[in-house]
Structure formats: C-alpha cells, structure tokens
Amino acid sequence: MATTNSTKACPAPMKATSNGVFQGDNPIDFALPLAILQIVIVIVLTRLLAYLLRPLRQPRVIAEVIGGIMLGPSLLGRSKVFLDAVFPKKSLTVLETLANLGLLFFLFLAGLEIDTKALRHTGKKALGIAMAGISLPFALGIGSSFVLKATISKGVDSTAFLVFMGVALSITAFPVLARILAELKLLTTEIGRLAMSAAAVNDVAAWILLALAIALSGSNTSPLVSLWVFLAGCAFVVGAAFIIPPIFRWIARRCHEGEPIEETYICATLAVVLVCGFITDAIGIHSMFGAFVVGVLIPKEGPFAGALVEKVEDLVSGLFLPLYFVASGLKTNVATIQGAQSWGLLVLVTFTACFGKIVGTLGVSLAFKIPMREAITLGFLMNTKGLVELIVLNIGKDRKVLNDQTFAIMVLMALFTTFITTPVVMAVYKPARRAKKEGEYKNRTVERENTNTQLRILTCFHGAGSIPSIINLLEASRGIEKGKGLCVYALHLRELSERSSAILMVHKVRKNGMPFWNRRGVNADADQVVVAFQAFQQLSRVNVRPMTAISSMSDIHEDICTTAARKRAAIVILPFHKHQQLDGSLETTRGDYRWVNRRVLLEAPCSVGIFVDRGLGGSSQVSAQDVSYSVVVLFFGGRDDREALAYGLRMAEHPGIVLTVFRFVVAPESVGEVVNVEVGDNGNNEKNLKWDEEIMSEIRKKSSVDESIKFVERRVENAAVDVRSAIEEVRRSNLFLVGRVPGGEIALAIRENSECPELGPVGSLLISPESSTRASVLVIQQYNGAGAAPDLAAADLVASTDRDSE
C-alpha cells in the first residue's frame, strides 16, 4: 500500500525526447514535445481571449488569467482525458520549472521598471495615496482572514495567513495600471501621474510585505527560523545595493547610444540574475526576489537597461510567462466554491478588497483637496490587480497557507477588481470631454487677419531620423520674430504595446511628473531627440516644448487631436508614412502611420500639414545664419491653397528664404476646355474666387517691393503638360508648399487616381516617380470646422481595413 501511495506521489520521470511516431513512440509521453504542445495551446488560447476582450479595452493579463483558469480543473481540466493527455501530473514539474524561470526573468524586467530616483522624489500626495492604499486594505485583509479561518480555512498557520491575506488585498499592479492609463489616455494627466507614482511606491511596499509573509510561512514552525530568513533576506538586499550598482554603472559607461551592446555584458547580467535568484531561494525566500532586486538596482541611465529589456522581454513575456498563468490555473478550481457560504465569502472578500482600496484612496485624496470625481477614479485605478497578486496567491498555495477554496476565491477577486477598472474609470472620468471644453479658441489656421499673433505649431515625429529636417522646417517657419513669434510643441509619437519596454518607456517619459527633459540640465540618459530640440531652442530663441504621446496605433490620432486642442495649435504637422531611400524613391515606413494621418485630417481641431521629408537642409540641423532655401507655393485657388500661401509668406520673412508663388490660371482661349465637368470647390465658389483675386493682388504688390518674394503667373492650356513644365522649372527648389484640395478646373484636370489621397492631386504629382523634383513637400489642409476632408471619409474606411496589409 505504501508502495502504491509512493508511486502516485512521485510519478516516473519523463524522458526528454521521443524516437518519433514511426518507431512507436507517442510524442506527448515525452517532456520536450509535451512542453511544446502546452506552450502552443497556452499562447493560442490567451491571444485569442486577448483579441476577444480588446473591444472591452481589457489588459492582456485578464485574458491570461482567464485562459489559465479555462485550462485548469474549472473548465477543460474537468475532462480527465484532456488533463491526463495535455497536463499529466508527471509533466507538471517541467511546466512549473519553465514557468518559474519565465517568472524569474519577468520579475527582473519588472524591477527595471522601478526608478528608485523617481521614488525618492515622490510627492506628498502620491505618497499619502500609496500609504492609504496599503494600510487600510491590509487591515481589512487581516480582518477578513479571521472570517475565512473560522469557516473554510481551519487549521492553517494563523500568522502567515493573516499576512498573506493583508498583502493580497493591498497590492496594486503597477504594469497593468500603466497599460490601463495609457489605454484610457490618462498617462499625461495629473491623475495619471498620481496613480503611477502611488502604484510604484505600493509595488515596492508589496514586495517587502511579501518577503515578510514568505519568511513567516516556512515549513519550520520555529519563529527563530522565520526571523533568520527575514534577516538574511535583508542582508542580501543591503549587500546587493552596495555591490550591484557600481558594477552596472561601469558597464553602462561602456555602452554608447546607437552602438550595439556587447554580448558579454548581456550574458553576465543574466548570469547575475540567476545567481541572485539562487541565493534568495537558498535563504528561503522565493528566487524571484533576487531577480527583482537586481532589476531595481541596475542604473536606468544610458542605453544598457533598454537593451536588456529588448533582448529578454519577447521570449519571456510571450513564451514562458503565460505558462505561469496556466500553472496557476491548474491550481484554481472554481467548482470548490459551492453553497451560499462560499459565494458569500467571495462577495465579502471582493467587497473588502474594493472598499479598502477605494475608500482609503478616496479619503486621502479628498484630504489633499482633489476633486471628488478624480478621487473616485484614483480609488478604482489603485484597485487594479495583476501578476503580482497571482504570485502572492501561488506562493501561499504552495506553502499550504491557502487551501483550494480560499485560493479560488482570491483569484476570482483579483480578476473581478481588475476587470471593472476600465469600464468604471471610463464612466466616471472622461478627459476627452474636458478636452473639448478646453478646445474653444480662435486662431485655428495659419491664415489670419492679424499676422503678428503667435503662431502655434504642433509637429509630430516617430523617431530621431526625421529630427534634422523637422527642425530645419521649424527654423524656416519662425519668420523674423515679429509680434509674439512662434511656439512649437514637438510631439513624439510612441506606440504602446504589451511589451514591458513600453512601460519602461512610460517611466522614462513621465519621470514621476518631471518634464520631457530635466530643466536642471541634460541627464546622462538624455537622447539625441532632447539634445536636438534643446539646441534649437537656445540658438533660435523659439519656444519649444517637447511632449510624448504613448498610445496604440489604432487611437494615437486622438492624442494628437486632443493635444492640438489643449495647446491651441494653429496647425498640426505630421510626417508622411513613406521615407526616402538612397536612390530617391519613397518606401513605406509603416502602413499604420498612413491611417493615423487620415484620421487626423478628418478630426483635427485646426489646420493640418503632411510633411514629405526628402532631406530638407540635408542630414543635419542648419543654423539660422546658414539657411538658404528656395520655397515654392503652387497656387491653383481655394482655401487649402490660401493656407499654404499664408505659411509660405510666414517663411518669406526669414532672411535666408526666397519664396516663389506660381499661380496657375486658365488661358482665355481654353476656358471651359481644360476639363469637361462641373467644377466644385471648397465652399462658395464666388467667394473663393474673390478671396483668391484679393490675395493674388497683394502678392503682386509685395513681389514688386520685396526681393524675397517672386510672383509667376502661368497660363494653362493643357493642364497635365503645363503644370509638369512649371514644376520642371523650379525642380531644384528645397521645399514645395501646396494645398491638399486645390480649387479650380486646372487642379481638377490633373487629379489622378492617386494612392495617397491625403496628399491631394498636386502633392501626389510632386512625389510621383515621374516627377522631376526631389524636393521636400508640405501638403496643407485648412481647418474649416465640421466635415473636414470629406473626400477622405470613404477612403478612411478602406485604410482602416487594409492598413495591416500594406
């Protein structure tokens, strides 16, 4: 009988690989093929659930937790055939080893997200919110543990159970919260900054409390052993704090921006993570603590931390970490929650968790005079759970502190509290609605009656490669600093993904509420983008305010439009979705950028320009005294062309710029023959013609007294031939300014079936392979209230369908 029990407890070890089906082996009876099958099933299921939950704007951790529960005894695992075939008991050692190895490195990445310098500068509000969000839930967790211990958790270690319950209820998941904030466009708001700062403090406190809980939950009942475990853990942290930072600062100094990181440094770092994991496991604290401590202590300055994340995260987060959710799901049996008592305890624990977090945060927030709506929102945001919660619960389960029923109740509580965060915050706090109220302002176009008013430009960029051309364009746009001059908001568009580096990116940008760059000077980690804009601001005396938008590509256009409204921009300048190659041809950078541009054209609260960069000013920034550009405005008529001309006149104020205005008119003998369809243009045709004539009359006068402005009127008989001929004459110019939808029958005649309707007919003609010029092009659409870019509305539907295939 003893032999039988021993066989059940210790199943025979599995061989690593099979000899193949042709030699009679079943692959899933061997460790490696079975592990591959398990990983594939987990990835497919969790990604499918994540896709289905995307409309609800749920973080991926929700899909991973639900996927793990579905594969466990709660659903699919109820079938003994499935469980014995895919997750047999003899495979669980391999599965949990892989899962914990993934967890080890994921917690190392999580440690990299914690910026200790930012924590030291946490404000009183964030610190108060964090403390309230820990202390009240911890106290209520201890209170609820007495109820559980008296009902479904009889016989467990009292002290360890109290601490585990307190920790489980007081945790806020920092990475999950950051993704929810980014998804809801709250990262750049005051409430987002407070939530992120408080969650970071909460995260560190939770790990300290968890270390205490593990020390108390050892198999040895002697309190002296628990004390030794805790003291040894503290000694490890202190020792690591003295040894690890100097070593990695030395490594960071040898890693330079833009250069590949030596493989030796990466391998050495991963080895240090494993060694520290081994040490903390030997002490009696989970190995993940060692990895987490290493991640926290590695200096965040320089490119080394980012390179570590890029090397490790995809394999860990995409392949190994989902196994941890399955290992957790296999221990979660929802069926153990039976009867009124069990379901009542689930409601009690969930209510206690929500009440503690929300009320604790709400009380402190109101004490700091935060408005009620924002205070409630903060409470729900701080109630977010995630992977750390599952880690706490799994350790408690493995150490026999939590039984099956308590474990299932706690997992469902964590799932519920995280699931409700997004919909509740969306219902309570809608910053987009506030942005609309803030968005009422006058100067929404470059063309205006008083040209001495300040011109506000929101220029967007995706990466450092386009910075020199953008700065050269801004330098040309500043005129002669008359009136209130130029104010530039430089918006760095960065995609938010589920990768950990996205959160590291958020952390770098937010710097605990600090501006994009540190006002006290350039930090060691200041990248070339910051340096370039700082230099431009100092040399040109233009007010430059760099900003960052972090969002998914599907809705980053909302960030652009909201920022434009809040900053009262007159024009938004967007990069074209294609970049120039060495041979001069244009290649698509990314199809999603095109879709973003179209959405901004449709929804922008001001004028919009799309900048086709062909190396304006070369590959480096041109100083003000060295600017020597030839700028051409191709004028056909209509509001968009007038906006382009207004921008050109602003540029002509710069001493280094010569502006040529090419006006195209129909030759008298060709009237009505250029195109045989009825002409329709932007707005009332007669008014547009009148305005066009008035502004052309002004240009004629200016060109006669101002050498920097040249006026050429070209009579057109054959639209396609004559327009191309005119472009040929000025092909050596540096920049073309054109309207997106020019008016008049000439523009209508040259309108082709362009693959880029966002550039309009003239812009498409200028960048076509047949065009004789290789100059940069700025295509401008003037703001005209509701119904902007109606021609793009239908095309936008096609773009949203096809953008992934481009």
Side-chain angles (χ1 to χ4, degrees):
M1 191 70 172
T3 306
T4 306
N5 290 337
S6 176
T7 304
K8 285 183 179 179
C10 302
M14 301 176 77
K15 291 184 179 179
T17 57
S18 72
N19 294 318
V21 292
F22 294 108
Q23 296 190 42
D25 283 350
N26 183 352
I28 63 174
D29 289 337
F30 296 82
L32 181 61
L34 182 58
I36 292 171
L37 177 64
Q38 291 169 342
I39 291 171
V40 170
I41 289 174
V42 171
I43 291 174
V44 170
L45 179 60
T46 54
R47 295 293 168 144
L48 177 62
L49 288 170
Y51 177 78
L52 294 175
L53 290 171
R54 190 179 298 169
L56 299 176
R57 307 180 87 168
Q58 293 295 330
R60 197 173 76 190
V61 68
I62 291 288
E64 290 169 332
V65 173
I66 293 174
I69 293 173
M70 287 175 64
L71 291 172
S74 301
L75 189 63
L76 296 175
R78 295 178 73 87
S79 167
K80 195 172 184 302
V81 175
F82 172 82
L83 206 59
D84 290 344
V86 182
F87 296 104
K89 287 184 178 180
K90 58 184 178 181
S91 74
L92 295 185
T93 302
V94 175
L95 177 69
E96 293 199 2
T97 300
L98 289 173
N100 279 281
L101 190 63
L103 180 68
L104 184 84
F105 284 108
F106 183 82
L107 266 295
F108 165 65
L109 296 177
L112 281 173
E113 296 172 8
I114 304 297
D115 188 345
T116 51
K117 288 183 179 178
L119 284 178
R120 287 197 293 270
H121 294 94
T122 300
K124 291 181 180 179
K125 284 185 184 179
L127 192 61
I129 290 168
M131 291 298 101
I134 294 171
S135 55
L136 183 58
F138 191 86
L140 292 175
I142 291 175
S144 61
S145 68
F146 286 107
V147 179
L148 291 171
K149 198 170 184 304
T151 50
I152 60 173
S153 298
K154 296 175 181 177
V156 297
D157 181 4
S158 298
T159 307
F161 185 60
L162 297 182
V163 177
F164 265 100
M165 286 297 297
V167 173
L169 265 63
S170 61
I171 283 175
T172 296
F174 177 78
V176 179
L177 174 64
R179 290 190 175 96
I180 289 175
L181 288 170
E183 185 73 24
L184 298 179
K185 313 293 183 191
L186 295 175
L187 267 177
T188 55
T189 63
E190 175 71 12
I191 194 172
R193 197 198 91 241
L194 281 173
M196 287 280 283
S197 302
V201 175
N202 191 299
D203 216 24
V204 173
W207 286 111
I208 296 170
L209 292 171
L210 182 56
L212 176 63
I214 291 175
L216 293 171
S217 63
S219 56
N220 194 311
T221 55
S222 170
L224 191 60
V225 172
S226 297
L227 179 62
W228 277 115
V229 169
F230 187 72
L231 291 176
C234 293
F236 165 78
V237 172
V238 172
F242 279 102
I243 297 170
I244 291 176
I247 294 174
F248 283 99
R249 271 196 289 269
W250 180 84
I251 293 175
R253 284 195 296 270
R254 281 153 181 78
C255 300
H256 304 289
E257 196 77 48
E259 296 180 9
I261 307 298
E262 285 189 30
E263 184 187 3
T264 307
Y265 297 149
I266 301 293
C267 292
T269 304
L270 300 182
V272 169
V273 172
L274 292 171
V275 168
C276 290
F278 175 82
I279 292 172
T280 51
D281 192 81
I283 289 172
I285 305 177
H286 201 287
S287 57
M288 64 182 178
F289 276 100
F292 180 76
V293 169
V294 174
V296 170
L297 294 177
I298 287 181
K300 309 304 185 288
E301 296 83 5
F304 183 64
L308 277 174
V309 173
E310 289 179 7
K311 298 282 186 183
V312 178
E313 67 172 343
D314 286 336
L315 182 66
V316 171
S317 301
L319 208 60
F320 290 120
L321 192 64
L323 294 179
Y324 190 81
F325 292 98
V326 174
S328 175
L330 291 173
K331 301 171 190 173
T332 308
N333 189 356
V334 178
T336 57
I337 307 175
Q338 294 178 342
Q341 184 190 66
S342 295
W343 286 105
L345 290 171
L346 173 61
V347 172
L348 173 67
V349 170
T350 305
F351 174 79
T352 304
C354 295
F355 182 84
K357 276 286 184 185
I358 295 168
V359 173
T361 304
L362 179 66
V364 174
S365 300
L366 293 176
F368 281 115
K369 297 183 180 179
I370 295 174
M372 176 63 78
R373 179 176 292 178
E374 280 84 347
I376 295 172
T377 304
L378 270 173
F380 277 97
L381 287 171
M382 296 300 291
N383 199 31
T384 305
K385 310 293 185 199
L387 176 64
V388 182
E389 176 83 4
L390 281 188
I391 294 170
V392 173
L393 299 178
N394 275 282
I395 293 174
K397 180 78 163 59
D398 293 340
R399 303 214 168 196
K400 311 298 183 186
V401 176
L402 304 177
N403 60 24
D404 290 347
Q405 197 171 349
T406 309
F407 181 79
I409 286 173
M410 298 300 291
V411 169
L412 291 182
M413 177 273 294
L415 194 62
F416 175 79
T417 53
T418 306
F419 191 90
I420 64 170
T421 300
T422 301
V424 169
V425 171
M426 286 179 68
V428 173
Y429 189 79
K430 294 182 179 178
R433 183 172 57 195
R434 188 186 65 200
K436 288 181 180 178
K437 294 178 182 177
E438 294 175 354
E440 300 301 327
Y441 61 100
K442 181 181 178 183
N443 293 319
R444 297 172 180 265
T445 62
V446 179
E447 184 185 24
R448 58 188 68 173
E449 292 180 7
N450 183 5
T451 56
N452 290 329
T453 54
Q454 185 183 60
L455 177 64
R456 295 189 171 205
I457 297 177
L458 175 65
T459 182
C460 305
F461 59 96
H462 299 291
S466 59
I467 295 299
S469 294
I470 289 174
I471 290 180
N472 291 336
L473 177 65
L474 295 173
E475 168 61 37
S477 306
R478 71 183 178 93
I480 55 173
E481 302 175 16
K482 69 177 183 179
K484 295 184 179 178
L486 179 68
C487 179
V488 175
Y489 298 93
L491 187 63
H492 193 175
L493 306 178
R494 309 189 74 168
E495 183 181 10
L496 179 81
S497 67
E498 289 288 348
R499 303 170 70 184
S500 286
S501 58
I503 308 306
L504 189 63
M505 177 175 66
V506 169
H507 220 58
K508 282 185 175 182
V509 171
R510 291 226 47 86
K511 285 294 180 187
N512 219 44
M514 295 298 289
F516 189 80
W517 72 63
N518 195 321
R519 290 195 179 100
R520 289 172 294 181
V522 182
N523 290 331
D525 65 342
D527 57 24
Q528 52 192 320
V529 173
V530 173
V531 173
F533 278 114
Q534 276 186 320
F536 175 60
Q537 176 168 279
Q538 291 168 1
L539 293 174
S540 66
R541 297 189 298 279
V542 172
N543 189 5
V544 183
R545 301 178 187 178
M547 306 163 69
T548 299
I550 302 176
S551 190
S552 60
M553 277 295 162
S554 61
D555 55 10
I556 201 167
H557 65 278
E558 295 177 7
D559 286 5
I560 298 171
C561 295
T562 302
T563 303
R566 286 179 176 169
K567 302 304 179 184
R568 301 175 183 270
I571 185 170
V572 174
I573 297 179
L574 301 166
F576 189 48
H577 71 277
K578 294 184 179 183
H579 67 277
Q580 183 172 248
Q581 295 181 293
L582 292 175
D583 61 358
S585 62
L586 292 171
E587 182 184 37
T588 299
T589 306
R590 182 170 170 179
D592 282 347
Y593 295 161
R594 179 184 185 184
W595 185 85
V596 170
N597 290 352
R598 291 187 176 191
R599 296 298 298 171
V600 174
L601 283 166
L602 284 166
E603 300 177 17
C606 59
S607 295
V608 179
I610 296 181
F611 182 48
V612 184
D613 178 19
R614 286 176 157 179
L616 179 64
S619 58
S620 60
Q621 181 181 342
V622 179
S623 60
Q625 61 268 26
D626 295 330
V627 170
S628 179
Y629 299 150
S630 173
V631 178
V632 177
V633 175
L634 301 179
F635 190 89
F636 296 86
R639 61 160 53 92
D640 287 358
D641 276 22
R642 289 197 301 272
E643 187 77 352
L645 180 57
Y647 201 101
L649 290 172
R650 172 94 188 188
M651 285 184 158
E653 296 172 4
H654 196 291
I657 291 178
V658 175
L659 175 69
T660 302
V661 180
F662 249 98
R663 189 197 184 186
F664 297 92
V665 295
V666 180
E669 61 272 16
S670 302
V671 173
E673 297 179 6
V674 174
V675 64
N676 296 321
V677 295
E678 184 180 351
V679 177
D681 79 22
N682 306 350
N684 185 281
N685 195 33
E686 292 183 5
K687 284 185 178 180
N688 271 307
L689 289 173
K690 181 182 177 183
W691 289 334
D692 291 347
E693 288 302 329
E694 287 177 357
I695 197 168
M696 285 300 102
S697 177
E698 290 180 17
I699 295 298
R700 285 190 187 93
K701 292 177 182 177
K702 284 186 177 181
S703 64
S704 62
V705 297
D706 190 344
E707 294 181 355
S708 65
I709 299 177
K710 298 178 181 178
F711 178 75
V712 180
E713 188 167 277
R714 178 61 54 88
R715 296 182 182 275
V716 175
E717 296 179 1
N718 185 316
V721 174
D722 292 345
V723 172
R724 288 181 184 274
S725 174
I727 293 172
E728 173 73 21
E729 291 179 26
V730 288
R731 68 182 186 279
R732 297 190 182 279
S733 301
N734 302 98
L735 176 67
F736 281 89
L737 297 174
V738 299
R740 195 184 76 81
V741 184
E745 54 184 293
I746 300 172
L748 194 63
I750 65 170
R751 190 169 298 173
E752 302 171 356
N753 292 325
S754 169
E755 65 175 55
C756 298
E758 61 269 28
L759 294 184
V762 185
S764 298
L765 182 65
L766 286 167
I767 70 161
S768 66
E770 296 79 24
S771 176
S772 59
T773 183
R774 290 293 178 264
S776 297
V777 181
L778 181 60
V779 180
I780 298 178
Q781 170 186 284
Q782 187 180 65
Y783 173 76
N784 66 336
D791 59 309
L792 280 181
D796 180 62
L797 296 176
V798 178
S800 62
T801 305
D802 297 341
R803 64 183 185 275
D804 294 329
S805 62
E806 291 181 347

